[in-house]
Coordinates of all heavy atoms in Angstrom, one line a residue:
I240 N 14.3 12.0 -17.8 CA 14.9 10.9 -18.5 C 13.9 9.8 -18.5 O 12.9 9.8 -17.7 CB 16.2 10.4 -17.8 CG1 15.9 10.0 -16.3 CG2 17.3 11.5 -17.8 CD1 17.1 9.2 -15.6
T241 N 14.1 8.8 -19.3 CA 13.2 7.6 -19.3 C 13.9 6.4 -18.7 O 15.0 6.1 -19.0 CB 12.8 7.3 -20.8 OG1 12.2 8.4 -21.4 CG2 11.9 6.1 -20.8
V242 N 13.2 5.8 -17.7 CA 13.7 4.6 -17.1 C 12.6 3.5 -17.3 O 11.4 3.8 -17.5 CB 14.0 4.8 -15.6 CG1 15.1 5.8 -15.4 CG2 12.7 5.2 -14.8
S243 N 13.0 2.3 -17.2 CA 12.1 1.1 -17.3 C 12.1 0.3 -16.0 O 13.1 0.2 -15.4 CB 12.6 0.2 -18.5 OG 12.6 0.9 -19.7
G244 N 10.9 -0.2 -15.7 CA 10.8 -1.0 -14.5 C 11.1 -0.3 -13.2 O 11.6 -0.9 -12.3
F245 N 10.7 0.9 -13.1 CA 11.0 1.7 -11.9 C 10.1 1.2 -10.8 O 8.9 1.0 -10.9 CB 10.6 3.2 -12.2 CG 10.9 4.2 -11.1 CD1 12.1 4.8 -11.0 CD2 9.9 4.4 -10.1 CE1 12.4 5.7 -10.0 CE2 10.2 5.3 -9.1 CZ 11.4 6.0 -9.0
Q246 N 10.8 0.9 -9.6 CA 10.1 0.3 -8.5 C 10.6 0.9 -7.2 O 11.8 0.8 -6.9 CB 10.2 -1.2 -8.4 CG 9.5 -1.8 -7.3 CD 9.7 -3.3 -7.2 OE1 10.5 -3.9 -8.0 NE2 9.0 -4.0 -6.4
V247 N 9.8 1.6 -6.5 CA 10.2 2.2 -5.2 C 10.3 1.0 -4.2 O 9.3 0.3 -4.0 CB 9.2 3.3 -4.7 CG1 9.6 3.7 -3.3 CG2 9.2 4.5 -5.6
I248 N 11.5 0.9 -3.5 CA 11.6 -0.2 -2.6 C 11.8 0.3 -1.2 O 11.7 -0.4 -0.2 CB 12.8 -1.1 -2.9 CG1 14.1 -0.3 -2.9 CG2 12.5 -1.8 -4.2 CD1 15.3 -1.2 -3.0
N249 N 12.0 1.6 -1.0 CA 12.1 2.2 0.3 C 11.8 3.7 0.1 O 12.3 4.4 -0.7 CB 13.5 2.1 0.9 CG 13.6 2.6 2.3 OD1 13.7 3.8 2.5 ND2 13.5 1.7 3.3
G250 N 10.8 4.2 0.9 CA 10.4 5.6 0.8 C 9.0 5.7 0.3 O 8.6 6.8 -0.1
A251 N 8.2 4.7 0.3 CA 6.8 4.8 -0.2 C 6.0 5.8 0.6 O 5.2 6.5 0.1 CB 6.1 3.4 -0.2
Q252 N 6.2 5.8 1.9 CA 5.5 6.8 2.7 C 5.9 8.2 2.3 O 5.1 9.1 2.3 CB 5.8 6.6 4.2 CG 5.2 5.3 4.8 CD 5.6 5.1 6.2 OE1 6.8 5.4 6.6 NE2 4.7 4.5 7.0
T253 N 7.2 8.4 2.0 CA 7.6 9.7 1.5 C 7.0 10.1 0.2 O 6.5 11.2 0.0 CB 9.2 9.7 1.3 OG1 9.8 9.5 2.6 CG2 9.7 11.0 0.8
V254 N 6.9 9.2 -0.7 CA 6.2 9.4 -2.0 C 4.8 9.8 -1.8 O 4.3 10.8 -2.4 CB 6.3 8.1 -2.9 CG1 5.4 8.3 -4.1 CG2 7.7 7.8 -3.3
Y255 N 4.1 9.1 -0.9 CA 2.7 9.5 -0.6 C 2.6 10.8 0.0 O 1.7 11.6 -0.3 CB 2.0 8.4 0.2 CG 0.6 8.7 0.5 CD1 -0.4 8.6 -0.6 CD2 0.1 9.2 1.7 CE1 -1.7 9.0 -0.3 CE2 -1.2 9.5 1.9 CZ -2.1 9.4 0.9 OH -3.4 9.8 1.1
S256 N 3.5 11.1 1.0 CA 3.4 12.4 1.7 C 3.6 13.6 0.7 O 2.9 14.6 0.8 CB 4.5 12.5 2.8 OG 4.2 11.6 3.8
V257 N 4.6 13.4 -0.2 CA 4.9 14.4 -1.2 C 3.6 14.6 -2.1 O 3.2 15.7 -2.4 CB 6.1 14.1 -2.0 CG1 6.3 15.0 -3.2 CG2 7.4 14.2 -1.1
Y258 N 3.1 13.5 -2.6 CA 1.9 13.5 -3.4 C 0.8 14.3 -2.8 O 0.1 15.2 -3.3 CB 1.5 12.1 -3.8 CG 0.1 12.0 -4.4 CD1 -0.2 12.4 -5.7 CD2 -0.9 11.5 -3.6 CE1 -1.5 12.3 -6.1 CE2 -2.2 11.4 -4.0 CZ -2.5 11.8 -5.3 OH -3.8 11.8 -5.8
K259 N 0.5 13.8 -1.5 CA -0.7 14.4 -0.8 C -0.5 15.9 -0.5 O -1.4 16.7 -0.7 CB -0.9 13.7 0.5 CG -2.1 14.1 1.3 CD -2.3 13.3 2.5 CE -3.5 13.8 3.2 NZ -3.6 13.3 4.6
S260 N 0.7 16.3 -0.1 CA 1.0 17.7 0.2 C 0.9 18.5 -1.1 O 0.3 19.6 -1.1 CB 2.4 17.8 0.7 OG 2.5 17.2 2.0
Y261 N 1.4 18.0 -2.2 CA 1.4 18.8 -3.4 C -0.1 18.9 -3.9 O -0.5 20.0 -4.4 CB 2.3 18.1 -4.5 CG 2.6 19.0 -5.6 CD1 3.7 19.9 -5.5 CD2 2.0 18.9 -6.8 CE1 4.0 20.8 -6.5 CE2 2.3 19.8 -7.9 CZ 3.4 20.7 -7.7 OH 3.7 21.5 -8.8
K262 N -0.8 17.8 -3.8 CA -2.2 17.8 -4.3 C -3.0 18.8 -3.5 O -3.9 19.5 -4.1 CB -2.8 16.4 -4.2 CG -4.2 16.3 -4.6 CD -4.7 14.8 -4.4 CE -6.2 14.7 -4.6 NZ -6.7 13.5 -4.3
E263 N -2.8 18.9 -2.2 CA -3.6 19.8 -1.4 C -3.1 21.2 -1.3 O -3.8 22.1 -0.8 CB -3.7 19.2 0.0 CG -4.4 17.9 0.1 CD -4.3 17.2 1.4 OE1 -3.7 17.7 2.3 OE2 -4.9 16.1 1.5
A264 N -1.9 21.5 -1.9 CA -1.3 22.8 -1.8 C -2.0 23.8 -2.7 O -2.5 23.5 -3.8 CB 0.2 22.7 -2.1
K265 N -2.0 25.1 -2.3 CA -2.5 26.2 -3.2 C -1.4 26.4 -4.2 O -0.2 26.1 -4.1 CB -2.7 27.4 -2.3 CG -3.8 27.2 -1.3 CD -3.9 28.4 -0.4 CE -5.0 28.2 0.6 NZ -5.0 29.0 1.7
P266 N -1.8 27.0 -5.4 CA -0.8 27.3 -6.4 C 0.4 28.0 -6.0 O 1.5 27.6 -6.4 CB -1.6 28.1 -7.4 CG -3.0 27.7 -7.2 CD -3.1 27.4 -5.7
R267 N 0.3 29.0 -5.1 CA 1.5 29.7 -4.6 C 2.4 28.7 -3.8 O 3.6 28.8 -4.0 CB 1.0 30.8 -3.6 CG 2.2 31.6 -3.0 CD 1.6 32.6 -1.9 NE 2.7 33.1 -1.1 CZ 3.3 32.5 -0.1 NH1 2.9 31.3 0.3 NH2 4.3 33.0 0.6
D268 N 1.8 27.9 -3.0 CA 2.6 26.9 -2.2 C 3.3 25.9 -3.1 O 4.4 25.4 -2.9 CB 1.8 26.2 -1.2 CG 1.4 27.2 -0.1 OD1 2.1 28.2 0.2 OD2 0.3 27.0 0.5
R269 N 2.6 25.5 -4.2 CA 3.2 24.6 -5.2 C 4.4 25.2 -5.8 O 5.4 24.5 -6.1 CB 2.2 24.2 -6.3 CG 1.2 23.2 -5.8 CD 0.3 22.7 -6.9 NE -0.7 21.8 -6.4 CZ -1.5 21.1 -7.2 NH1 -1.5 21.3 -8.6 NH2 -2.4 20.3 -6.7
R270 N 4.3 26.5 -6.2 CA 5.5 27.1 -6.7 C 6.7 27.1 -5.8 O 7.8 26.9 -6.2 CB 5.2 28.6 -7.2 CG 4.3 28.7 -8.4 CD 4.2 30.1 -9.0 NE 3.6 31.0 -8.0 CZ 2.2 31.1 -7.9 NH1 1.4 30.4 -8.7 NH2 1.7 32.0 -7.1
I271 N 6.4 27.3 -4.5 CA 7.5 27.3 -3.5 C 8.0 25.9 -3.4 O 9.3 25.7 -3.4 CB 6.9 27.7 -2.1 CG1 6.6 29.2 -2.2 CG2 8.0 27.5 -1.0 CD1 5.9 29.7 -0.9
M272 N 7.2 24.9 -3.4 CA 7.6 23.5 -3.4 C 8.5 23.2 -4.6 O 9.6 22.5 -4.5 CB 6.5 22.5 -3.3 CG 5.7 22.5 -2.1 SD 4.3 21.4 -2.3 CE 3.5 21.6 -0.7
N273 N 8.1 23.6 -5.7 CA 8.8 23.4 -7.0 C 10.2 23.9 -6.9 O 11.2 23.4 -7.4 CB 8.1 24.0 -8.2 CG 6.8 23.2 -8.5 OD1 6.6 22.1 -8.1 ND2 6.0 23.9 -9.3
N274 N 10.4 25.1 -6.3 CA 11.7 25.8 -6.2 C 12.5 25.4 -5.0 O 13.7 25.5 -5.1 CB 11.5 27.3 -6.2 CG 10.9 27.8 -7.6 OD1 11.3 27.2 -8.6 ND2 10.0 28.7 -7.5

């Protein structure tokens, strides 16, 4: 969906943790994360 003015106000550490984990994951692990 499209949203405007999206601003994370609580959970920024979670957003970064997810980003970092996904970025560093192997393709197989990314598929597991996706599912």
